[in-house]
Amino acid sequence: MNGEVVITGLGSVSALGLNTDDFWSAVKEGKSGISAIQGFDEAGLKINLAAQVKDFNPADYFSNKDLPLLDRYSQFALMACREAVVQSGLERDSLWQAAAVIGTGCGGKETDEITYAHLYKQQKSRAHPFTIPKGMPSAAASQVSMQLSIAGPVFTVSSACSSANHAIAQAALLIRAGVVDVAIAGGTDAPFTYGLLKAWEALRVVSVDNCRPFSVDRSGLILGEGAGMVVLESDRHAKNRGASILARLAGSGMSADAGHITDPSADGAARAIQVALRDAKIGCQDVGYVNAHGTGTLANDRTETEALHSVFGSHAKSLMVSSTKSMHGHALGASGGLEFIATVKALQEGIIPPTINFTGPGEGCDLDYVPNVAREKVIRVAISNSFAFGGLNAVQVIQAV
């Protein structure tokens, strides 16, 4: 058994920037990455706002040889993994026996969309020969393995909006079990295709004016895209090589609602939080900050607040709770990775991210949501929540070093 798991590298791509420094700078300043949706001329699209990755030219980051096999979601995963590995200081040859666990809620939707347009709009008779290896849900994990020379356990986790947190939990378990000393984990998604946007429209959970988590006038989520990846190591391995340890992954909790496919359960969410705290051997009173799932939908925000009251009791009123989705949007399978990174940075710098666009607490939302402006506060322990469609919940407990 390897014991403690520590975090030594962070990498991100989001509507707030193409690297973690830009991402965290925007989060601290309460900047929004949400703007008018770009790239869609089709009539009848009702979604008008999005948190899209901006100023991104794939040719600046990938060779002409590699690009034909890289769906947008794989591009994001590779960029974030590269950044995380560079920060960790790990040499390429030391990754050979590492693991890579990559979460995604959607997989290669860009590839699917192009294929369907080719076959049905353009009436072509054949699909591109790379359609399957480019668009399959495990394509990003395979590309990370090949391009970073990772030959240990490599696989994909798909649990909708909890994909990144589930992936991080699985990677940590591999380290704790002694299977590997090093793992790269997180999530990636690129959902901006016409077909997928029409599907999200049909759910009627997307806001037409803004993302206002926990607010009285909240009207839904805003879709985002990107990737959030972290390098995890056994404490022993990191210390032996003199690595700079950013934070400790103290524990993980997972649960399923076993209930409704889209209506979240406060009990299911609470159980995931409780399991995570037990796994970390950390008491409720020690937690200072919660990076909330906080989608901005009527059901999620009320249910998550109820779950926090259930677990933390009277201490819930002392918690600082914020939703960074108000800035980077709901990046689906990547959201947990981005939020994990924001939580690590909050612990490192003693700055609690705000919930921007907050207009006043909604019914059933009565906690301290760090409204609109970041707060300077040194904390030792935080949790990061992900609660997905299908009632699939994953929570991380992160501890300062």
Side-chain angles (χ1 to χ4, degrees):
M1 300 290 286
N2 272 338
E4 292 187 357
V5 177
V6 297
I7 303 146
T8 58
L10 307 173
S12 68
V13 178
S14 73
L16 299 177
L18 300 179
N19 56 66
T20 298
D21 283 346
D22 289 348
F23 168 77
W24 178 239
S25 177
V27 168
K28 286 191 296 185
E29 294 171 20
K31 287 186 176 179
S32 175
I34 296 168
S35 58
I37 196 166
Q38 301 294 314
F40 295 91
D41 299 324
E42 291 92 341
L45 187 64
K46 296 177 183 176
I47 292 176
N48 60 347
L49 294 173
Q52 292 170 290
V53 172
K54 304 168 184 69
D55 302 319
F56 171 58
N57 179 10
D60 292 339
Y61 299 90
F62 304 101
S63 69
N64 291 334
K65 176 180 70 72
D66 290 332
L67 272 175
L69 272 171
L70 295 177
D71 186 277
R72 187 173 175 90
Y73 97 112
S74 294
Q75 295 168 18
F76 293 157
L78 282 166
M79 289 171 63
C81 285
R82 288 172 180 172
E83 182 189 11
V85 169
V86 168
Q87 184 181 24
S88 75
L90 287 162
E91 299 295 333
R92 189 180 182 90
D93 58 3
S94 67
L95 294 176
W96 182 251
Q97 296 183 40
V101 188
I102 309 299
T104 182
C106 299
K109 288 299 182 183
E110 177 191 56
T111 300
D112 290 344
E113 186 88 355
I114 291 169
T115 301
Y116 299 149
H118 186 77
L119 294 174
Y120 302 123
K121 261 180 129 173
Q122 301 167 27
Q123 296 293 301
K124 303 294 185 181
S125 61
R126 298 173 62 190
H128 194 282
F130 290 160
T131 300
I132 295 299
K134 183 178 180 181
M136 60 190 182
S138 58
S142 295
Q143 291 293 338
V144 168
S145 167
M146 292 184 292
Q147 297 208 20
L148 296 182
S149 298
I150 296 172
V154 175
F155 55 97
T156 293
V157 172
S158 187
S159 51
C161 312
S162 290
S163 296
N165 259 1
H166 271 124
I168 291 168
Q170 294 306 308
L173 287 171
L174 288 171
I175 292 172
R176 288 164 66 175
V179 177
V180 295
D181 286 313
V182 176
I184 299 174
T188 182
D189 259 325
F192 291 109
T193 66
Y194 182 72
L196 196 58
L197 290 172
K198 292 301 289 184
W200 274 98
E201 273 183 15
L203 277 171
R204 299 183 180 181
V205 295
V206 178
S207 175
V208 297
D209 54 8
N210 215 333
C211 179
R212 296 182 293 274
F214 304 106
S215 290
V216 63
D217 55 349
R218 67 190 186 278
S219 56
L221 60 86
I222 297 290
L223 288 168
E225 64 177 348
M229 302 291 174
V230 299
V231 173
L232 305 178
E233 298 184 51
S234 69
D235 181 68
R236 171 185 52 79
H237 185 272
K239 287 178 177 175
N240 283 347
R241 69 180 186 88
S244 176
I245 295 173
L246 308 179
R248 174 177 169 246
L249 178 51
S252 302
M254 295 171 278
S255 73
D257 293 353
H260 196 277
I261 193 70
T262 58
D263 191 21
S265 158
D267 176 67
R271 283 187 288 110
I273 298 169
Q274 289 165 337
V275 171
L277 293 173
R278 282 201 303 271
D279 185 46
K281 298 180 175 60
I282 283 174
C284 291
Q285 301 295 319
D286 296 321
V287 178
Y289 169 58
V290 177
N291 187 292
H293 187 57
T295 60
T297 63
L298 292 174
N300 173 89
D301 296 0
R302 183 177 60 247
T303 301
E304 186 166 13
T305 300
E306 182 182 344
L308 292 172
H309 276 292
S310 173
V311 173
F312 290 96
S314 61
H315 182 59
K317 291 289 189 178
S318 301
L319 292 170
M320 293 172 288
V321 181
S322 68
S323 170
T324 53
K325 286 185 179 74
S326 59
M327 293 172 274
H328 57 68
H330 195 338
L332 306 180
S335 283
L338 295 171
E339 291 155 11
F340 187 99
I341 290 169
T343 308
V344 171
K345 297 298 289 185
L347 286 163
Q348 279 190 297
E349 296 191 11
I351 297 177
I352 307 303
T355 303
I356 69 168
N357 308 318
F358 191 77
T359 58
E363 183 181 354
C365 300
D366 59 354
L367 298 176
D368 175 5
Y369 301 111
V370 195
N372 299 314
V373 179
R375 189 177 303 165
E376 292 189 16
K377 181 75 173 179
V378 175
I379 53 170
R380 296 293 302 166
V381 179
I383 67 172
S384 184
N385 292 339
S386 290
F387 307 131
F389 277 168
L392 310 179
N393 311 305
V395 175
Q396 305 294 349
V397 180
I398 308 167
Q399 190 171 30
V401 292

CSV table of all heavy atoms in Angstrom, one decimal, residues 235-283:
chain,number,residue,atom,x,y,z
A,235,ASP,N,2.8,9.9,-1.8
A,235,ASP,CA,3.6,10.8,-1.0
A,235,ASP,C,5.0,10.4,-1.0
A,235,ASP,O,5.9,11.3,-1.1
A,235,ASP,CB,3.0,10.9,0.5
A,235,ASP,CG,3.7,11.9,1.4
A,235,ASP,OD1,3.6,13.1,1.1
A,235,ASP,OD2,4.4,11.4,2.3
A,236,ARG,N,5.3,9.2,-0.8
A,236,ARG,CA,6.7,8.6,-0.8
A,236,ARG,C,7.4,9.0,-2.1
A,236,ARG,O,8.5,9.4,-2.1
A,236,ARG,CB,6.6,7.1,-0.5
A,236,ARG,CG,8.0,6.5,-0.7
A,236,ARG,CD,7.9,4.9,-0.5
A,236,ARG,NE,6.8,4.4,-1.4
A,236,ARG,CZ,7.0,4.2,-2.7
A,236,ARG,NH1,8.2,4.5,-3.3
A,236,ARG,NH2,6.1,3.7,-3.5
A,237,HIS,N,6.7,8.7,-3.2
A,237,HIS,CA,7.4,8.9,-4.5
A,237,HIS,C,7.7,10.4,-4.7
A,237,HIS,O,8.8,10.8,-5.2
A,237,HIS,CB,6.4,8.4,-5.6
A,237,HIS,CG,7.0,8.5,-7.0
A,237,HIS,ND1,6.9,9.6,-7.8
A,237,HIS,CD2,7.7,7.5,-7.7
A,237,HIS,CE1,7.5,9.3,-9.0
A,237,HIS,NE2,8.0,8.1,-8.9
A,238,ALA,N,6.7,11.2,-4.4
A,238,ALA,CA,6.9,12.7,-4.6
A,238,ALA,C,8.1,13.2,-3.7
A,238,ALA,O,8.9,14.0,-4.2
A,238,ALA,CB,5.6,13.4,-4.3
A,239,LYS,N,8.1,12.8,-2.5
A,239,LYS,CA,9.2,13.2,-1.6
A,239,LYS,C,10.5,12.7,-2.0
A,239,LYS,O,11.6,13.4,-1.9
A,239,LYS,CB,8.8,12.9,-0.2
A,239,LYS,CG,7.7,13.7,0.4
A,239,LYS,CD,7.4,13.3,1.8
A,239,LYS,CE,6.3,14.2,2.4
A,239,LYS,NZ,5.8,13.7,3.8
A,240,ASN,N,10.6,11.4,-2.5
A,240,ASN,CA,11.8,10.8,-2.8
A,240,ASN,C,12.5,11.6,-4.0
A,240,ASN,O,13.7,11.6,-4.1
A,240,ASN,CB,11.7,9.4,-3.2
A,240,ASN,CG,11.5,8.5,-2.0
A,240,ASN,OD1,11.8,8.9,-0.9
A,240,ASN,ND2,11.1,7.3,-2.2
A,241,ARG,N,11.7,12.1,-4.9
A,241,ARG,CA,12.2,12.8,-6.0
A,241,ARG,C,12.3,14.4,-5.8
A,241,ARG,O,12.7,15.1,-6.7
A,241,ARG,CB,11.5,12.5,-7.3
A,241,ARG,CG,10.1,13.1,-7.4
A,241,ARG,CD,9.4,12.7,-8.7
A,241,ARG,NE,8.1,13.4,-8.9
A,241,ARG,CZ,7.9,14.6,-9.4
A,241,ARG,NH1,9.0,15.3,-9.9
A,241,ARG,NH2,6.7,15.1,-9.5
A,242,GLY,N,12.0,14.8,-4.6
A,242,GLY,CA,12.0,16.2,-4.3
A,242,GLY,C,11.0,17.1,-5.0
A,242,GLY,O,11.3,18.3,-5.2
A,243,ALA,N,9.9,16.5,-5.2
A,243,ALA,CA,8.8,17.3,-5.9
A,243,ALA,C,8.2,18.3,-5.1
A,243,ALA,O,8.2,18.2,-3.8
A,243,ALA,CB,7.7,16.3,-6.4
A,244,SER,N,7.7,19.4,-5.7
A,244,SER,CA,6.9,20.4,-5.0
A,244,SER,C,5.5,19.9,-4.9
A,244,SER,O,4.8,19.7,-5.9
A,244,SER,CB,7.0,21.7,-5.8
A,244,SER,OG,6.2,22.7,-5.1
A,245,ILE,N,5.0,19.7,-3.6
A,245,ILE,CA,3.7,19.2,-3.4
A,245,ILE,C,2.7,20.3,-3.2
A,245,ILE,O,2.9,21.2,-2.4
A,245,ILE,CB,3.7,18.3,-2.1
A,245,ILE,CG1,4.5,17.0,-2.4
A,245,ILE,CG2,2.3,17.9,-1.8
A,245,ILE,CD1,4.7,16.1,-1.2
A,246,LEU,N,1.7,20.3,-4.0
A,246,LEU,CA,0.7,21.4,-4.1
A,246,LEU,C,-0.4,21.3,-3.0
A,246,LEU,O,-0.8,22.3,-2.4
A,246,LEU,CB,0.1,21.5,-5.4
A,246,LEU,CG,1.0,21.6,-6.6
A,246,LEU,CD1,0.2,21.6,-7.9
A,246,LEU,CD2,2.0,22.7,-6.5
A,247,ALA,N,-0.8,20.1,-2.8
A,247,ALA,CA,-1.9,19.8,-1.8
A,247,ALA,C,-1.9,18.3,-1.7
A,247,ALA,O,-1.3,17.5,-2.4
A,247,ALA,CB,-3.2,20.4,-2.2
A,248,ARG,N,-2.7,17.9,-0.7
A,248,ARG,CA,-2.9,16.4,-0.5
A,248,ARG,C,-4.4,16.1,-0.8
A,248,ARG,O,-5.3,16.7,-0.4
A,248,ARG,CB,-2.7,16.1,1.0
A,248,ARG,CG,-3.0,14.7,1.4
A,248,ARG,CD,-2.6,14.5,2.9
A,248,ARG,NE,-3.2,13.2,3.4
A,248,ARG,CZ,-4.1,13.1,4.3
A,248,ARG,NH1,-4.6,14.2,4.9
A,248,ARG,NH2,-4.5,11.9,4.7
A,249,LEU,N,-4.5,15.0,-1.6
A,249,LEU,CA,-5.8,14.4,-1.9
A,249,LEU,C,-6.2,13.5,-0.7
A,249,LEU,O,-5.7,12.3,-0.6
A,249,LEU,CB,-5.9,13.7,-3.2
A,249,LEU,CG,-7.2,13.0,-3.6
A,249,LEU,CD1,-8.4,14.0,-3.5
A,249,LEU,CD2,-7.1,12.4,-4.9
A,250,ALA,N,-6.9,14.0,0.3
A,250,ALA,CA,-7.1,13.3,1.5
A,250,ALA,C,-8.1,12.2,1.5
A,250,ALA,O,-8.0,11.2,2.2
A,250,ALA,CB,-7.5,14.3,2.6
A,251,GLY,N,-9.1,12.3,0.6
A,251,GLY,CA,-10.1,11.3,0.5
A,251,GLY,C,-11.1,11.5,-0.6
A,251,GLY,O,-11.2,12.6,-1.1
A,252,SER,N,-11.8,10.4,-1.0
A,252,SER,CA,-12.8,10.5,-2.1
A,252,SER,C,-14.0,9.8,-1.6
A,252,SER,O,-13.9,8.8,-0.9
A,252,SER,CB,-12.3,9.8,-3.4
A,252,SER,OG,-11.1,10.4,-3.8
A,253,GLY,N,-15.2,10.2,-2.1
A,253,GLY,CA,-16.4,9.6,-1.8
A,253,GLY,C,-17.3,9.5,-3.0
A,253,GLY,O,-17.4,10.4,-3.8
A,254,MET,N,-17.9,8.3,-3.2
A,254,MET,CA,-18.8,8.1,-4.3
A,254,MET,C,-20.1,7.4,-3.9
A,254,MET,O,-20.1,6.6,-2.9
A,254,MET,CB,-18.1,7.2,-5.3
A,254,MET,CG,-16.8,7.8,-5.9
A,254,MET,SD,-15.8,6.6,-6.9
A,254,MET,CE,-14.9,5.8,-5.6
A,255,SER,N,-21.1,7.8,-4.5
A,255,SER,CA,-22.5,7.2,-4.2
A,255,SER,C,-23.3,7.3,-5.5
A,255,SER,O,-23.0,8.1,-6.4
A,255,SER,CB,-23.1,7.9,-3.1
A,255,SER,OG,-23.6,9.2,-3.5
A,256,ALA,N,-24.4,6.6,-5.4
A,256,ALA,CA,-25.5,6.7,-6.5
A,256,ALA,C,-26.8,7.0,-5.8
A,256,ALA,O,-27.1,6.4,-4.8
A,256,ALA,CB,-25.5,5.5,-7.3
A,257,ASP,N,-27.6,7.8,-6.4
A,257,ASP,CA,-28.9,8.1,-5.9
A,257,ASP,C,-29.9,6.9,-6.0
A,257,ASP,O,-30.8,6.7,-5.2
A,257,ASP,CB,-29.6,9.3,-6.6
A,257,ASP,CG,-28.9,10.6,-6.4
A,257,ASP,OD1,-28.0,10.7,-5.6
A,257,ASP,OD2,-29.3,11.5,-7.1
A,258,ALA,N,-29.6,6.1,-7.0
A,258,ALA,CA,-30.5,5.0,-7.3
A,258,ALA,C,-32.0,5.4,-7.4
A,258,ALA,O,-32.9,4.8,-6.8
A,258,ALA,CB,-30.4,3.8,-6.3
A,259,GLY,N,-32.2,6.6,-8.0
A,259,GLY,CA,-33.5,7.2,-8.1
A,259,GLY,C,-33.9,7.7,-9.4
A,259,GLY,O,-34.0,6.9,-10.4
A,260,HIS,N,-34.0,9.0,-9.6
A,260,HIS,CA,-34.4,9.6,-10.9
A,260,HIS,C,-33.3,9.9,-11.8
A,260,HIS,O,-32.2,10.3,-11.3
A,260,HIS,CB,-35.2,10.9,-10.5
A,260,HIS,CG,-36.1,11.4,-11.6
A,260,HIS,ND1,-35.6,12.2,-12.7
A,260,HIS,CD2,-37.4,11.2,-11.9
A,260,HIS,CE1,-36.5,12.5,-13.5
A,260,HIS,NE2,-37.6,11.9,-13.1
A,261,ILE,N,-33.5,9.8,-13.1
A,261,ILE,CA,-32.4,10.0,-14.0
A,261,ILE,C,-31.9,11.5,-14.1
A,261,ILE,O,-30.8,11.8,-14.4
A,261,ILE,CB,-32.8,9.5,-15.5
A,261,ILE,CG1,-31.6,9.4,-16.4
A,261,ILE,CG2,-33.9,10.4,-16.0
A,261,ILE,CD1,-30.7,8.4,-16.1
A,262,THR,N,-32.8,12.5,-13.8
A,262,THR,CA,-32.4,13.9,-13.9
A,262,THR,C,-32.7,14.7,-12.6
A,262,THR,O,-32.1,15.7,-12.4
A,262,THR,CB,-33.1,14.6,-15.1
A,262,THR,OG1,-34.5,14.5,-14.9
A,262,THR,CG2,-32.7,14.0,-16.4
A,263,ASP,N,-33.5,14.2,-11.7
A,263,ASP,CA,-33.9,14.9,-10.5
A,263,ASP,C,-32.9,14.5,-9.4
A,263,ASP,O,-33.0,13.3,-8.9
A,263,ASP,CB,-35.3,14.6,-10.1
A,263,ASP,CG,-35.8,15.6,-9.0
A,263,ASP,OD1,-35.2,16.6,-8.9
A,263,ASP,OD2,-36.8,15.2,-8.4
A,264,PRO,N,-32.0,15.4,-8.9
A,264,PRO,CA,-31.0,15.0,-7.9
A,264,PRO,C,-31.6,14.7,-6.6
A,264,PRO,O,-32.7,15.2,-6.2
A,264,PRO,CB,-30.1,16.2,-7.9
A,264,PRO,CG,-30.9,17.3,-8.3
A,264,PRO,CD,-31.9,16.8,-9.3
A,265,SER,N,-30.9,13.9,-5.8
A,265,SER,CA,-31.3,13.5,-4.4
A,265,SER,C,-30.3,14.1,-3.4
A,265,SER,O,-29.1,13.9,-3.5
A,265,SER,CB,-31.3,11.9,-4.3
A,265,SER,OG,-31.2,11.5,-3.0
A,266,ALA,N,-30.9,14.8,-2.4
A,266,ALA,CA,-30.0,15.3,-1.4
A,266,ALA,C,-29.4,14.2,-0.6
A,266,ALA,O,-28.2,14.3,-0.1
A,266,ALA,CB,-30.9,16.2,-0.5
A,267,ASP,N,-30.1,13.1,-0.4
A,267,ASP,CA,-29.5,12.0,0.3
A,267,ASP,C,-28.3,11.4,-0.4
A,267,ASP,O,-27.3,11.1,0.2
A,267,ASP,CB,-30.6,10.9,0.5
A,267,ASP,CG,-30.1,9.7,1.2
A,267,ASP,OD1,-29.7,9.8,2.4
A,267,ASP,OD2,-30.0,8.6,0.6
A,268,GLY,N,-28.5,11.2,-1.7
A,268,GLY,CA,-27.4,10.6,-2.5
A,268,GLY,C,-26.1,11.5,-2.4
A,268,GLY,O,-25.0,11.0,-2.2
A,269,ALA,N,-26.3,12.8,-2.6
A,269,ALA,CA,-25.2,13.8,-2.5
A,269,ALA,C,-24.6,13.7,-1.1
A,269,ALA,O,-23.4,13.7,-0.9
A,269,ALA,CB,-25.7,15.2,-2.8
A,270,ALA,N,-25.4,13.7,-0.1
A,270,ALA,CA,-24.9,13.7,1.3
A,270,ALA,C,-24.1,12.5,1.6
A,270,ALA,O,-23.0,12.6,2.3
A,270,ALA,CB,-26.1,13.8,2.3
A,271,ARG,N,-24.5,11.3,1.1
A,271,ARG,CA,-23.8,10.1,1.3
A,271,ARG,C,-22.4,10.2,0.7
A,271,ARG,O,-21.4,9.7,1.3
A,271,ARG,CB,-24.5,8.9,0.8
A,271,ARG,CG,-25.7,8.5,1.8
A,271,ARG,CD,-26.4,7.2,1.3
A,271,ARG,NE,-27.2,7.3,0.1
A,271,ARG,CZ,-26.9,6.8,-1.0
A,271,ARG,NH1,-25.8,6.2,-1.2
A,271,ARG,NH2,-27.7,7.0,-2.1
A,272,ALA,N,-22.3,10.8,-0.5
A,272,ALA,CA,-21.0,10.9,-1.1
A,272,ALA,C,-20.0,11.8,-0.3
A,272,ALA,O,-18.8,11.5,-0.1
A,272,ALA,CB,-21.1,11.4,-2.5
A,273,ILE,N,-20.6,12.9,0.2
A,273,ILE,CA,-19.8,13.8,1.1
A,273,ILE,C,-19.3,13.0,2.4
A,273,ILE,O,-18.2,13.1,2.8
A,273,ILE,CB,-20.6,15.0,1.4
A,273,ILE,CG1,-20.9,15.8,0.1
A,273,ILE,CG2,-19.8,15.9,2.4
A,273,ILE,CD1,-21.9,17.0,0.4
A,274,GLN,N,-20.3,12.3,3.0
A,274,GLN,CA,-19.9,11.6,4.2
A,274,GLN,C,-18.9,10.5,4.0
A,274,GLN,O,-17.9,10.4,4.8
A,274,GLN,CB,-21.2,11.0,4.8
A,274,GLN,CG,-22.2,12.0,5.3
A,274,GLN,CD,-23.6,11.4,5.6
A,274,GLN,OE1,-24.0,10.4,4.9
A,274,GLN,NE2,-24.4,12.0,6.5
A,275,VAL,N,-19.0,9.8,2.9
A,275,VAL,CA,-18.0,8.8,2.6
A,275,VAL,C,-16.6,9.4,2.3
A,275,VAL,O,-15.6,8.9,2.8
A,275,VAL,CB,-18.4,8.0,1.3
A,275,VAL,CG1,-17.3,7.1,0.8
A,275,VAL,CG2,-19.7,7.1,1.6
A,276,ALA,N,-16.6,10.6,1.6
A,276,ALA,CA,-15.3,11.2,1.4
A,276,ALA,C,-14.7,11.7,2.7
A,276,ALA,O,-13.4,11.5,2.9
A,276,ALA,CB,-15.5,12.4,0.5
A,277,LEU,N,-15.4,12.3,3.6
A,277,LEU,CA,-14.9,12.7,4.9
A,277,LEU,C,-14.4,11.5,5.7
A,277,LEU,O,-13.4,11.6,6.4
A,277,LEU,CB,-15.9,13.5,5.6
A,277,LEU,CG,-16.3,14.9,5.0
A,277,LEU,CD1,-17.5,15.5,5.8
A,277,LEU,CD2,-15.1,15.8,5.0
A,278,ARG,N,-15.1,10.4,5.7
A,278,ARG,CA,-14.7,9.2,6.4
A,278,ARG,C,-13.4,8.7,5.8
A,278,ARG,O,-12.5,8.3,6.6
A,278,ARG,CB,-15.8,8.1,6.4
A,278,ARG,CG,-16.9,8.4,7.4
A,278,ARG,CD,-17.6,7.1,7.7
A,278,ARG,NE,-18.2,6.4,6.5
A,278,ARG,CZ,-19.4,6.7,6.0
A,278,ARG,NH1,-20.2,7.5,6.5
A,278,ARG,NH2,-19.8,6.0,4.9
A,279,ASP,N,-13.3,8.7,4.5
A,279,ASP,CA,-12.1,8.2,3.9
A,279,ASP,C,-10.9,9.0,4.2
A,279,ASP,O,-9.8,8.5,4.4
A,279,ASP,CB,-12.4,8.2,2.3
A,279,ASP,CG,-11.2,7.6,1.6
A,279,ASP,OD1,-10.7,6.5,2.0
A,279,ASP,OD2,-10.8,8.2,0.6
A,280,ALA,N,-11.2,10.3,4.3
A,280,ALA,CA,-10.1,11.3,4.7
A,280,ALA,C,-9.8,11.3,6.2
A,280,ALA,O,-8.8,11.9,6.6
A,280,ALA,CB,-10.4,12.7,4.2
A,281,LYS,N,-10.7,10.7,7.0
A,281,LYS,CA,-10.5,10.8,8.4
A,281,LYS,C,-10.5,12.2,8.9
A,281,LYS,O,-9.7,12.6,9.7
A,281,LYS,CB,-9.3,10.0,8.9
A,281,LYS,CG,-9.3,8.5,8.6
A,281,LYS,CD,-8.1,7.8,9.1
A,281,LYS,CE,-8.2,6.3,8.9
A,281,LYS,NZ,-8.3,5.9,7.4
A,282,ILE,N,-11.4,13.0,8.3
A,282,ILE,CA,-11.5,14.4,8.6
A,282,ILE,C,-12.9,14.7,9.1
A,282,ILE,O,-13.9,14.3,8.6
A,282,ILE,CB,-11.2,15.3,7.4
A,282,ILE,CG1,-9.7,15.3,7.2
A,282,ILE,CG2,-11.7,16.7,7.5
A,282,ILE,CD1,-9.2,16.0,5.9
A,283,GLY,N,-13.0,15.5,10.2
A,283,GLY,CA,-14.3,15.9,10.8
A,283,GLY,C,-14.9,17.0,10.0
A,283,GLY,O,-14.3,17.8,9.4
